[in-house]
Amino acid sequence: TCSPTCSKSDTLSAGSVELQAMESDNDSPPDLKSRRLTPSTHWRLTQQQIDLCYDAAVEHYEKVMYTVKARALFTELADGFDLLRERGRGRFDMELPVFDDPKFSFLTDLERASWMPVVRTILGEDVALVHKGVFLSLPGSEMQVYHQDGPHLTTKYQKPCHAVNVFIPLVDLTRKNGPTEFCLGTHILDYEYFAKEMVETPLAKAGTPIIFDYRLGHRGLGNSSADCRPLVYLTYSPSGGKEFKDSVNFSRKRYIKIGELVEKPLSREERARRRREVIV
């Protein structure tokens, strides 16, 4: 159901949610009637994998914020760090060094990650994982500005997809906790602008990948729930592809190096638990 490099199809694949819209021969916006939802559970992470990612994301956020407080880095926080930067009030883009650990190979291994057959169908067999991290939306976070993660490589004609994003929510998405809103067809040259009638908002279950063209317009909605909404993101491009270079989103040179994170002191309950474990 995916078109590997054809500009005539726009596919969002999401384990239990697959959205496909076909364009006409003149590259006009997709017909709303062509969209369809196909239930599936094949691509989802296991609950254990979801929990591992969720705990890592929350722990990383808390350690960075504790480091900011311990070192009085509040001014620097506004400019952003290499491991965490704010993308609108209450929304954080985080790079987790722990994702390079083998225990997270279910995310990073190009042969093990379950969504790779879809990614390879779109980009070709030889692909590379060029970036990974977590978007954390806190309770009360505001809605993002509508945007595309990257522009077209040329404005002269429609080129095939040169990069793919995979979003994996670590909690069930609801209307309240800030799901991602996509504007279908906006990966097509000259149709990049937001159109309300083309909006689709997948309310995917936790661990369900949402796969989309890097050029597709989208925005994270505000989180009006009482809980945070972490979401793993992975970006792929053809291996060795010199065309793909995103110095705006992925360049660490733009951000301050926070250095070694300060360990958060153990709570009284945690100290007591560790003492019990030693005794046992």
Side-chain angles (χ1 to χ4, degrees), residues 96-149:
L96 279 63
V98 72
F99 275 3
D100 291 323
D101 191 285
K103 66 183 178 182
F104 288 94
S105 62
F106 60 88
L107 290 179
T108 59
D109 191 317
L110 298 180
E111 302 306 321
R112 188 179 174 192
S114 62
W115 47 86
M116 288 310 300
V118 179
V119 173
R120 286 194 167 97
T121 299
I122 299 170
L123 296 176
E125 287 299 316
D126 194 13
V127 297
L129 175 60
V130 296
H131 201 66
K132 58 188 181 297
V134 170
F135 291 129
L136 182 66
S137 175
L138 300 180
S141 67
E142 61 187 17
M143 180 170 60
Q144 272 188 314
V145 174
Y146 170 76
H147 66 283
Q148 293 169 294
D149 285 338

Short mmCIF file of all heavy atoms in Angstrom, two decimals, residues 96-149:
data_model
loop_
_atom_site.label_atom_id
_atom_site.label_comp_id
_atom_site.label_asym_id
_atom_site.label_seq_id
_atom_site.Cartn_x
_atom_site.Cartn_y
_atom_site.Cartn_z
N LEU A 96 18.42 11.40 23.57
CA LEU A 96 18.73 10.50 24.68
C LEU A 96 19.95 9.66 24.33
O LEU A 96 19.86 8.76 23.49
CB LEU A 96 17.54 9.58 24.98
CG LEU A 96 16.40 10.13 25.83
CD1 LEU A 96 15.70 11.30 25.14
CD2 LEU A 96 15.40 9.04 26.16
N PRO A 97 21.10 9.90 24.97
CA PRO A 97 22.28 9.06 24.71
C PRO A 97 22.01 7.58 24.97
O PRO A 97 22.60 6.72 24.32
CB PRO A 97 23.32 9.62 25.70
CG PRO A 97 22.91 11.05 25.90
CD PRO A 97 21.41 11.02 25.87
N VAL A 98 21.08 7.28 25.89
CA VAL A 98 20.80 5.89 26.23
C VAL A 98 20.21 5.12 25.04
O VAL A 98 20.28 3.89 25.00
CB VAL A 98 19.84 5.82 27.44
CG1 VAL A 98 18.42 6.24 27.05
CG2 VAL A 98 19.83 4.43 28.06
N PHE A 99 19.68 5.82 24.05
CA PHE A 99 19.13 5.14 22.87
C PHE A 99 20.22 4.43 22.07
O PHE A 99 19.90 3.60 21.21
CB PHE A 99 18.39 6.13 21.98
CG PHE A 99 16.96 6.37 22.38
CD1 PHE A 99 16.42 5.77 23.51
CD2 PHE A 99 16.12 7.19 21.63
CE1 PHE A 99 15.11 5.98 23.89
CE2 PHE A 99 14.80 7.40 21.99
CZ PHE A 99 14.29 6.80 23.13
N ASP A 100 21.48 4.76 22.33
CA ASP A 100 22.58 4.07 21.66
C ASP A 100 22.94 2.75 22.36
O ASP A 100 23.77 1.99 21.86
CB ASP A 100 23.82 4.97 21.61
CG ASP A 100 23.64 6.16 20.68
OD1 ASP A 100 22.99 5.98 19.63
OD2 ASP A 100 24.10 7.26 21.02
N ASP A 101 22.31 2.50 23.51
CA ASP A 101 22.55 1.26 24.24
C ASP A 101 21.90 0.09 23.49
O ASP A 101 20.82 0.25 22.91
CB ASP A 101 21.95 1.37 25.64
CG ASP A 101 22.37 0.24 26.55
OD1 ASP A 101 21.84 -0.88 26.37
OD2 ASP A 101 23.18 0.46 27.45
N PRO A 102 22.54 -1.08 23.46
CA PRO A 102 21.98 -2.24 22.77
C PRO A 102 20.57 -2.62 23.20
O PRO A 102 19.82 -3.21 22.40
CB PRO A 102 22.98 -3.36 23.11
CG PRO A 102 24.27 -2.66 23.34
CD PRO A 102 23.90 -1.37 24.00
N LYS A 103 20.18 -2.28 24.43
CA LYS A 103 18.84 -2.65 24.88
C LYS A 103 17.75 -1.88 24.15
O LYS A 103 16.57 -2.23 24.24
CB LYS A 103 18.70 -2.47 26.39
CG LYS A 103 18.78 -1.05 26.89
CD LYS A 103 18.68 -1.01 28.42
CE LYS A 103 18.82 0.40 28.96
NZ LYS A 103 18.77 0.41 30.45
N PHE A 104 18.15 -0.84 23.41
CA PHE A 104 17.19 -0.09 22.59
C PHE A 104 17.34 -0.43 21.10
O PHE A 104 16.87 0.32 20.25
CB PHE A 104 17.35 1.42 22.80
CG PHE A 104 16.86 1.90 24.14
CD1 PHE A 104 17.73 2.02 25.20
CD2 PHE A 104 15.52 2.18 24.34
CE1 PHE A 104 17.29 2.45 26.44
CE2 PHE A 104 15.05 2.61 25.57
CZ PHE A 104 15.94 2.75 26.63
N SER A 105 17.95 -1.56 20.82
CA SER A 105 18.15 -1.94 19.41
C SER A 105 16.84 -2.18 18.68
O SER A 105 16.79 -2.10 17.45
CB SER A 105 19.03 -3.19 19.32
OG SER A 105 18.41 -4.29 19.95
N PHE A 106 15.76 -2.44 19.41
CA PHE A 106 14.46 -2.60 18.76
C PHE A 106 14.01 -1.31 18.09
O PHE A 106 13.14 -1.32 17.21
CB PHE A 106 13.40 -3.07 19.77
CG PHE A 106 13.19 -2.13 20.93
CD1 PHE A 106 12.28 -1.09 20.85
CD2 PHE A 106 13.89 -2.30 22.12
CE1 PHE A 106 12.07 -0.22 21.91
CE2 PHE A 106 13.68 -1.45 23.20
CZ PHE A 106 12.78 -0.40 23.10
N LEU A 107 14.63 -0.17 18.47
CA LEU A 107 14.37 1.11 17.82
C LEU A 107 15.38 1.40 16.72
O LEU A 107 15.02 1.90 15.65
CB LEU A 107 14.44 2.26 18.84
CG LEU A 107 13.36 2.39 19.90
CD1 LEU A 107 13.69 3.59 20.79
CD2 LEU A 107 11.99 2.57 19.28
N THR A 108 16.66 1.10 16.99
CA THR A 108 17.74 1.60 16.15
C THR A 108 18.32 0.61 15.17
O THR A 108 18.98 1.01 14.20
CB THR A 108 18.88 2.12 17.06
OG1 THR A 108 19.33 1.05 17.89
CG2 THR A 108 18.38 3.26 17.95
N ASP A 109 18.12 -0.68 15.39
CA ASP A 109 18.68 -1.70 14.51
C ASP A 109 17.88 -1.74 13.20
O ASP A 109 16.67 -1.98 13.21
CB ASP A 109 18.63 -3.06 15.19
CG ASP A 109 19.42 -4.13 14.45
OD1 ASP A 109 19.33 -4.18 13.21
OD2 ASP A 109 20.11 -4.92 15.11
N LEU A 110 18.56 -1.51 12.08
CA LEU A 110 17.88 -1.43 10.79
C LEU A 110 17.30 -2.76 10.34
O LEU A 110 16.46 -2.80 9.44
CB LEU A 110 18.84 -0.90 9.73
CG LEU A 110 19.38 0.51 9.94
CD1 LEU A 110 20.32 0.90 8.81
CD2 LEU A 110 18.24 1.52 10.04
N GLU A 111 17.76 -3.84 10.94
CA GLU A 111 17.21 -5.15 10.60
C GLU A 111 16.15 -5.59 11.60
O GLU A 111 15.30 -6.42 11.28
CB GLU A 111 18.34 -6.19 10.55
CG GLU A 111 19.46 -5.87 9.57
CD GLU A 111 18.92 -5.63 8.16
OE1 GLU A 111 17.99 -6.35 7.75
OE2 GLU A 111 19.44 -4.72 7.49
N ARG A 112 16.18 -5.06 12.80
CA ARG A 112 15.28 -5.52 13.85
C ARG A 112 14.00 -4.68 13.98
O ARG A 112 12.94 -5.21 14.29
CB ARG A 112 16.01 -5.52 15.19
CG ARG A 112 15.22 -6.16 16.31
CD ARG A 112 16.00 -6.15 17.61
NE ARG A 112 15.16 -6.63 18.71
CZ ARG A 112 15.48 -6.53 19.99
NH1 ARG A 112 16.61 -5.96 20.35
NH2 ARG A 112 14.65 -6.98 20.92
N ALA A 113 14.10 -3.38 13.74
CA ALA A 113 12.92 -2.51 13.90
C ALA A 113 11.80 -2.97 12.96
O ALA A 113 12.01 -3.11 11.76
CB ALA A 113 13.30 -1.06 13.60
N SER A 114 10.63 -3.18 13.51
CA SER A 114 9.55 -3.83 12.77
C SER A 114 9.01 -3.00 11.61
O SER A 114 8.42 -3.54 10.68
CB SER A 114 8.41 -4.20 13.72
OG SER A 114 7.87 -3.03 14.32
N TRP A 115 9.20 -1.68 11.65
CA TRP A 115 8.64 -0.81 10.60
C TRP A 115 9.59 -0.65 9.41
O TRP A 115 9.26 0.00 8.43
CB TRP A 115 8.35 0.58 11.17
CG TRP A 115 9.47 1.13 11.99
CD1 TRP A 115 10.57 1.82 11.56
CD2 TRP A 115 9.63 0.98 13.41
NE1 TRP A 115 11.41 2.11 12.60
CE2 TRP A 115 10.85 1.62 13.75
CE3 TRP A 115 8.86 0.39 14.41
CZ2 TRP A 115 11.31 1.67 15.07
CZ3 TRP A 115 9.32 0.44 15.71
CH2 TRP A 115 10.53 1.07 16.04
N MET A 116 10.78 -1.25 9.47
CA MET A 116 11.75 -1.06 8.41
C MET A 116 11.28 -1.53 7.03
O MET A 116 11.65 -0.93 6.01
CB MET A 116 13.08 -1.72 8.77
CG MET A 116 13.84 -0.98 9.88
SD MET A 116 14.01 0.79 9.57
CE MET A 116 14.92 0.81 8.04
N PRO A 117 10.47 -2.60 6.91
CA PRO A 117 9.97 -2.96 5.57
C PRO A 117 9.19 -1.82 4.92
O PRO A 117 9.28 -1.61 3.70
CB PRO A 117 9.07 -4.17 5.84
CG PRO A 117 9.64 -4.79 7.07
CD PRO A 117 10.11 -3.63 7.91
N VAL A 118 8.44 -1.06 5.72
CA VAL A 118 7.69 0.07 5.18
C VAL A 118 8.65 1.18 4.76
O VAL A 118 8.53 1.77 3.68
CB VAL A 118 6.67 0.60 6.21
CG1 VAL A 118 5.91 1.79 5.65
CG2 VAL A 118 5.71 -0.50 6.64
N VAL A 119 9.63 1.47 5.64
CA VAL A 119 10.61 2.52 5.34
C VAL A 119 11.38 2.19 4.06
O VAL A 119 11.59 3.04 3.19
CB VAL A 119 11.58 2.71 6.52
CG1 VAL A 119 12.71 3.67 6.14
CG2 VAL A 119 10.84 3.23 7.75
N ARG A 120 11.77 0.92 3.91
CA ARG A 120 12.53 0.51 2.72
C ARG A 120 11.66 0.52 1.46
O ARG A 120 12.16 0.77 0.37
CB ARG A 120 13.14 -0.87 2.94
CG ARG A 120 14.33 -0.87 3.89
CD ARG A 120 15.11 -2.17 3.82
NE ARG A 120 16.40 -2.04 4.49
CZ ARG A 120 16.63 -2.42 5.75
NH1 ARG A 120 15.65 -2.96 6.47
NH2 ARG A 120 17.83 -2.26 6.29
N THR A 121 10.39 0.26 1.62
CA THR A 121 9.48 0.35 0.47
C THR A 121 9.44 1.78 -0.06
O THR A 121 9.35 2.02 -1.26
CB THR A 121 8.07 -0.11 0.86
OG1 THR A 121 8.12 -1.47 1.28
CG2 THR A 121 7.10 0.03 -0.31
N ILE A 122 9.54 2.73 0.85
CA ILE A 122 9.47 4.14 0.46
C ILE A 122 10.81 4.67 -0.05
O ILE A 122 10.87 5.34 -1.08
CB ILE A 122 9.00 5.00 1.66
CG1 ILE A 122 7.60 4.57 2.11
CG2 ILE A 122 9.00 6.49 1.30
CD1 ILE A 122 7.16 5.19 3.44
N LEU A 123 11.90 4.34 0.66
CA LEU A 123 13.20 4.95 0.38
C LEU A 123 14.16 4.06 -0.41
O LEU A 123 15.16 4.55 -0.93
CB LEU A 123 13.88 5.36 1.70
CG LEU A 123 13.19 6.44 2.52
CD1 LEU A 123 13.94 6.66 3.83
CD2 LEU A 123 13.08 7.74 1.74
N GLY A 124 13.88 2.76 -0.46
CA GLY A 124 14.82 1.83 -1.09
C GLY A 124 15.51 0.98 -0.04
O GLY A 124 15.41 1.23 1.17
N GLU A 125 16.23 -0.03 -0.48
CA GLU A 125 16.83 -1.00 0.43
C GLU A 125 17.94 -0.42 1.29
O GLU A 125 18.10 -0.77 2.45
CB GLU A 125 17.36 -2.19 -0.37
CG GLU A 125 16.29 -3.11 -0.91
CD GLU A 125 15.45 -3.72 0.21
OE1 GLU A 125 16.03 -4.17 1.22
OE2 GLU A 125 14.21 -3.74 0.07
N ASP A 126 18.73 0.47 0.72
CA ASP A 126 19.90 1.00 1.44
C ASP A 126 19.54 2.29 2.17
O ASP A 126 19.55 3.37 1.59
CB ASP A 126 21.04 1.25 0.44
CG ASP A 126 22.38 1.46 1.13
OD1 ASP A 126 22.47 1.18 2.35
OD2 ASP A 126 23.32 1.90 0.46
N VAL A 127 19.19 2.18 3.45
CA VAL A 127 18.74 3.34 4.21
C VAL A 127 19.60 3.52 5.46
O VAL A 127 20.30 2.60 5.90
CB VAL A 127 17.26 3.22 4.62
CG1 VAL A 127 16.37 3.17 3.41
CG2 VAL A 127 17.05 2.01 5.52
N ALA A 128 19.54 4.72 6.04
CA ALA A 128 20.29 5.02 7.26
C ALA A 128 19.39 5.75 8.24
O ALA A 128 18.51 6.54 7.84
CB ALA A 128 21.50 5.88 6.93
N LEU A 129 19.58 5.49 9.52
CA LEU A 129 18.90 6.23 10.58
C LEU A 129 19.75 7.47 10.85
O LEU A 129 20.86 7.37 11.36
CB LEU A 129 18.78 5.37 11.83
CG LEU A 129 18.21 6.04 13.10
CD1 LEU A 129 16.80 6.55 12.85
CD2 LEU A 129 18.23 5.06 14.27
N VAL A 130 19.23 8.65 10.51
CA VAL A 130 20.04 9.86 10.60
C VAL A 130 19.80 10.64 11.88
O VAL A 130 20.62 11.48 12.27
CB VAL A 130 19.79 10.78 9.38
CG1 VAL A 130 20.26 10.11 8.10
CG2 VAL A 130 18.33 11.18 9.27
N HIS A 131 18.68 10.39 12.55
CA HIS A 131 18.43 11.09 13.81
C HIS A 131 17.37 10.34 14.61
O HIS A 131 16.51 9.66 14.04
CB HIS A 131 17.97 12.52 13.57
CG HIS A 131 18.18 13.42 14.74
ND1 HIS A 131 19.44 13.75 15.21
CD2 HIS A 131 17.31 14.04 15.57
CE1 HIS A 131 19.31 14.55 16.26
NE2 HIS A 131 18.04 14.74 16.50
N LYS A 132 17.44 10.50 15.94
CA LYS A 132 16.47 9.86 16.83
C LYS A 132 16.35 10.68 18.11
O LYS A 132 17.29 11.39 18.50
CB LYS A 132 16.91 8.43 17.16
CG LYS A 132 18.28 8.33 17.81
CD LYS A 132 18.72 6.89 17.91
CE LYS A 132 20.09 6.74 18.59
NZ LYS A 132 21.17 7.40 17.82
N GLY A 133 15.21 10.57 18.75
CA GLY A 133 15.01 11.31 19.99
C GLY A 133 13.59 11.15 20.49
O GLY A 133 12.86 10.25 20.08
N VAL A 134 13.20 12.05 21.39
CA VAL A 134 11.86 12.03 21.97
C VAL A 134 11.31 13.44 22.01
O VAL A 134 12.02 14.39 22.40
CB VAL A 134 11.88 11.45 23.41
CG1 VAL A 134 10.54 11.66 24.10
CG2 VAL A 134 12.24 9.97 23.40
N PHE A 135 10.07 13.60 21.57
CA PHE A 135 9.34 14.84 21.79
C PHE A 135 8.49 14.66 23.05
O PHE A 135 7.71 13.71 23.14
CB PHE A 135 8.42 15.15 20.61
CG PHE A 135 9.13 15.52 19.34
CD1 PHE A 135 8.82 14.90 18.15
CD2 PHE A 135 10.11 16.51 19.34
CE1 PHE A 135 9.48 15.23 16.98
CE2 PHE A 135 10.78 16.85 18.17
CZ PHE A 135 10.45 16.20 16.99
N LEU A 136 8.67 15.56 24.00
CA LEU A 136 7.90 15.48 25.24
C LEU A 136 6.98 16.69 25.34
O LEU A 136 7.44 17.83 25.33
CB LEU A 136 8.84 15.45 26.45
CG LEU A 136 8.17 15.33 27.82
CD1 LEU A 136 7.48 13.98 27.96
CD2 LEU A 136 9.20 15.53 28.93
N SER A 137 5.68 16.42 25.40
CA SER A 137 4.68 17.47 25.54
C SER A 137 4.12 17.42 26.95
O SER A 137 3.50 16.43 27.35
CB SER A 137 3.56 17.28 24.51
OG SER A 137 2.53 18.22 24.70
N LEU A 138 4.35 18.48 27.73
CA LEU A 138 3.90 18.52 29.12
C LEU A 138 2.45 18.99 29.21
O LEU A 138 1.93 19.63 28.29
CB LEU A 138 4.80 19.45 29.92
CG LEU A 138 6.29 19.10 29.99
CD1 LEU A 138 7.03 20.14 30.82
CD2 LEU A 138 6.49 17.71 30.56
N PRO A 139 1.77 18.68 30.32
CA PRO A 139 0.41 19.20 30.51
C PRO A 139 0.41 20.72 30.39
O PRO A 139 1.27 21.40 30.95
CB PRO A 139 0.08 18.75 31.94
CG PRO A 139 0.91 17.53 32.16
CD PRO A 139 2.19 17.80 31.43
N GLY A 140 -0.52 21.25 29.63
CA GLY A 140 -0.59 22.70 29.43
C GLY A 140 0.24 23.21 28.28
O GLY A 140 0.26 24.42 28.01
N SER A 141 0.93 22.32 27.56
CA SER A 141 1.75 22.77 26.43
C SER A 141 0.86 23.36 25.34
O SER A 141 -0.29 22.96 25.17
CB SER A 141 2.58 21.61 25.87
OG SER A 141 1.73 20.64 25.28
N GLU A 142 1.41 24.29 24.60
CA GLU A 142 0.63 24.97 23.57
C GLU A 142 0.73 24.25 22.23
O GLU A 142 1.63 23.42 22.01
CB GLU A 142 1.11 26.41 23.42
CG GLU A 142 2.56 26.52 23.00
CD GLU A 142 3.09 27.94 23.01
OE1 GLU A 142 2.45 28.81 23.64
OE2 GLU A 142 4.14 28.18 22.39
N MET A 143 -0.19 24.57 21.35
CA MET A 143 -0.19 23.99 20.00
C MET A 143 0.99 24.53 19.20
O MET A 143 1.32 25.71 19.28
CB MET A 143 -1.50 24.32 19.30
CG MET A 143 -1.62 23.76 17.89
SD MET A 143 -3.28 23.93 17.21
CE MET A 143 -3.49 25.72 17.26
N GLN A 144 1.63 23.65 18.44
CA GLN A 144 2.73 24.06 17.59
C GLN A 144 2.24 24.88 16.41
O GLN A 144 1.08 24.77 15.99
CB GLN A 144 3.45 22.83 17.04
CG GLN A 144 4.55 22.27 17.90
CD GLN A 144 5.31 21.20 17.15
OE1 GLN A 144 4.73 20.31 16.53
NE2 GLN A 144 6.63 21.25 17.21
N VAL A 145 3.15 25.63 15.84
CA VAL A 145 2.89 26.30 14.58
C VAL A 145 2.96 25.24 13.48
O VAL A 145 3.83 24.36 13.50
CB VAL A 145 3.93 27.40 14.33
CG1 VAL A 145 3.76 28.00 12.94
CG2 VAL A 145 3.84 28.48 15.40
N TYR A 146 2.03 25.28 12.54
CA TYR A 146 2.04 24.35 11.41
C TYR A 146 3.35 24.47 10.66
O TYR A 146 3.84 25.58 10.39
CB TYR A 146 0.86 24.66 10.49
CG TYR A 146 0.88 23.92 9.17
CD1 TYR A 146 0.53 22.58 9.10
CD2 TYR A 146 1.27 24.57 8.00
CE1 TYR A 146 0.56 21.90 7.89
CE2 TYR A 146 1.30 23.90 6.79
CZ TYR A 146 0.95 22.56 6.74
OH TYR A 146 0.99 21.89 5.55
N HIS A 147 3.96 23.33 10.31
CA HIS A 147 5.27 23.36 9.66
C HIS A 147 5.56 22.07 8.91
O HIS A 147 4.88 21.06 9.09
CB HIS A 147 6.36 23.57 10.72
CG HIS A 147 6.48 22.41 11.67
ND1 HIS A 147 5.59 22.20 12.71
CD2 HIS A 147 7.38 21.38 11.73
CE1 HIS A 147 5.94 21.11 13.37
NE2 HIS A 147 7.01 20.59 12.80
N GLN A 148 6.57 22.13 8.06
CA GLN A 148 7.17 20.95 7.44
C GLN A 148 8.56 20.81 8.04
O GLN A 148 9.24 21.79 8.30
CB GLN A 148 7.28 21.13 5.92
CG GLN A 148 5.93 21.19 5.21
CD GLN A 148 6.09 21.64 3.77
OE1 GLN A 148 6.48 22.77 3.52
NE2 GLN A 148 5.78 20.76 2.83
N ASP A 149 9.01 19.58 8.28
CA ASP A 149 10.32 19.39 8.88
C ASP A 149 11.45 19.78 7.94
O ASP A 149 12.53 20.15 8.37
CB ASP A 149 10.50 17.94 9.34
CG ASP A 149 9.72 17.66 10.61
OD1 ASP A 149 9.41 18.61 11.35
OD2 ASP A 149 9.41 16.48 10.87
#
